[in-house]
Amino acid sequence: MTDATAPAPSAPLYRADALVEYADALLQKAGLAAPKAAVVARTLVEGDLLGHDTHGLALLAGYVKELESGGMTRDGAPEVLSDRPAAVLWDGKRLPGPWLMDQGMNLLVPRARELGTASLVIRRSHHIACLAVYMLRALQEDMLMLLACSDPNAASVAPFGGTQAVFTPNPLAMGFPLSQGGVMVDISASITTNGMSNRKRAAGETFAEEWLIDAAGKPSNDPQVLFDQPPGTLLPVGGLSHGHKGYGMALLVETLTAGLAGHGRADPPEGWGATVHVTLHDLNAFGGKEAFLRQMDHVAERCRANAPIDPAKPVRLPGEGGLKRRELQSRNGVRLHPSIARSLQDAEQRHGLRLAQALA
């Protein structure tokens, strides 16, 4: 969450547990089975606690609409398509992504403990929300986790040098523990995301830099170009000069997700969803936990102690700010972006609920 998009200091604060109860109730009102609603609600609020406020409760109104329309499956279990000790493939049957991820982690953790490494690929999942949230589990389990996600049903990013969308932002995440805290990387193959573009367009705002191109390939800072006809696209990481790097990342994610799943952009679209790859590595299966921490603690300290360009902005580790924000907001209240409450008003009217009371 950057300063440009962070909620104002005057924005209301909400108790995290009250937000979870509210989201749980709204999801159940929309038809989601209770055990699944609880997991999805908790995952969305965790996204806001970490500061990823385009992938927290900002998604709730969209999830409710998907449940009401049948785009998200309300109950059931994934179909196991392939099951080897260290490699599993599921058909998610368009069940809620956060719940599938929760079930997938429950499956992988004991297998990774036994085998050293275990991977799960899920095709036909619904949207999985904030990837950084799942890195918390890696820190708790003392494991190295890799997570990649693509949505074969949509496209907003062109290959480097092109003007027609082929990819989604294709996020890639990694988490691992340190002796104190841990590292949580949550990045995408595009410079910015669809969620942030949608928020800025709704607010009539533009980006500070030219992170998009229009259909003719002209650079732009206006998210409206994504909605023009013909549409523009998001630029890959590296932009106009070094976008081959983001292009390569996008292809990596496609191979880990759609390629290994055998299901993706070559198949008919089904609506908002995801293809997911998760791998867990048990630290003790390789050099050992102590050796891992010795190496990564050393690297982390060299990063933190690095002379900053701006003394007011010391070097941080990926996820460090999110973990601090999570601790503070869990204790003092969650400051929601003002667009979130507005986005939920229609769903609240349909189901007779109101957003949790703000703290005084």
Side-chain angles (χ1 to χ4, degrees):
M1 181 171 61
T2 65
D3 291 341
T5 61
S10 59
L13 290 165
Y14 299 87
R15 285 190 3 250
D17 59 345
L19 290 175
V20 173
E21 292 174 5
Y22 163 81
D24 187 351
L26 188 55
L27 289 163
Q28 287 195 57
K29 289 276 191 180
L32 186 58
K36 295 176 173 61
V39 172
V40 174
R42 185 174 67 248
T43 302
L44 293 181
V45 175
E46 282 284 7
D48 283 302
L49 284 169
L50 289 168
H52 294 263
D53 67 353
T54 60
H55 283 67
L57 288 175
L59 296 166
L60 182 56
Y63 282 15
V64 168
K65 288 181 179 178
E66 287 287 282
L67 287 165
E68 293 170 339
S69 69
M72 181 186 291
T73 303
R74 299 178 177 186
D75 202 2
E79 180 184 357
V80 179
L81 299 178
S82 177
D83 190 348
R84 299 186 182 186
V88 182
L89 174 63
W90 284 353
D91 183 331
K93 295 186 174 180
R94 299 192 55 76
L95 286 156
W99 180 80
L100 286 170
M101 283 295 301
D102 182 71
Q103 297 298 296
M105 291 294 286
N106 291 341
L107 173 78
L108 289 182
V109 168
R111 294 196 185 204
R113 293 248 188 266
E114 177 185 357
L115 302 166
T117 295
S119 298
L120 169 67
V121 174
I122 311 172
R123 68 191 197 187
R124 300 184 65 242
S125 167
H126 206 283
H127 190 263
I128 67 169
C130 175
L131 272 64
V133 171
Y134 308 113
M135 300 302 111
L136 295 170
R137 182 79 179 267
L139 272 56
Q140 295 164 0
E141 301 286 355
D142 281 336
M143 290 192 177
L144 167 61
M145 179 179 177
L146 300 175
L147 172 59
C149 179
S150 63
D151 182 355
N153 306 291
S156 56
V157 183
F160 182 58
T163 59
Q164 296 174 316
V166 173
F167 309 108
T168 39
N170 282 15
L172 182 66
M174 173 184 67
F176 60 84
L178 298 171
S179 293
Q180 299 295 324
V183 169
M184 302 191 307
V185 176
D186 184 354
I187 57 177
S188 67
S190 59
I191 296 179
T192 189
T193 64
N194 291 319
M196 186 58 69
S197 300
N198 291 337
R199 174 177 290 178
K200 284 192 169 293
R201 176 176 178 259
E205 299 173 352
T206 57
F207 288 105
E209 299 181 48
E210 293 174 330
W211 289 349
L212 310 93
I213 53 174
D214 64 17
K218 181 181 177 182
S220 176
N221 65 351
D222 189 352
Q224 175 59 40
V225 301
L226 295 175
F227 301 87
D228 291 341
Q229 292 301 323
T233 58
L234 302 174
L235 281 169
V237 164
L240 291 171
S241 62
H242 290 78
H244 61 280
K245 298 185 177 183
Y247 181 21
M249 285 177 59
L251 287 169
L252 171 63
V253 171
E254 291 290 324
T255 61
L256 291 173
T257 57
L260 292 181
H263 182 90
R265 302 186 189 281
D267 301 291
E270 296 182 281
W272 191 20
T275 307
V276 186
H277 176 108
V278 190
T279 293
L280 291 182
H281 297 289
D282 183 0
L283 306 183
N284 289 314
F286 298 91
K289 178 182 174 182
E290 289 186 8
F292 180 92
L293 293 177
R294 175 174 168 267
Q295 293 296 330
M296 300 318 299
D297 285 348
H298 176 80
V299 171
E301 181 53 33
R302 290 194 63 179
C303 291
R304 290 194 183 106
N306 211 277
I309 297 170
D310 181 350
K313 297 178 180 180
V315 177
R316 297 186 305 179
L317 292 168
E320 186 175 353
L323 289 171
K324 289 180 180 178
R325 191 177 294 112
R326 180 175 182 263
E327 180 182 356
L328 288 172
Q329 292 200 118
S330 296
R331 183 170 63 248
N332 301 328
V334 185
R335 202 177 297 280
L336 294 181
H337 193 278
S339 64
I340 294 173
R342 293 195 297 268
S343 73
L344 289 163
Q345 290 174 350
D346 288 345
E348 288 176 337
Q349 290 179 358
R350 291 196 302 275
H351 298 291
L353 289 175
R354 293 188 63 184
L355 186 62
Q357 181 65 41
L359 295 170

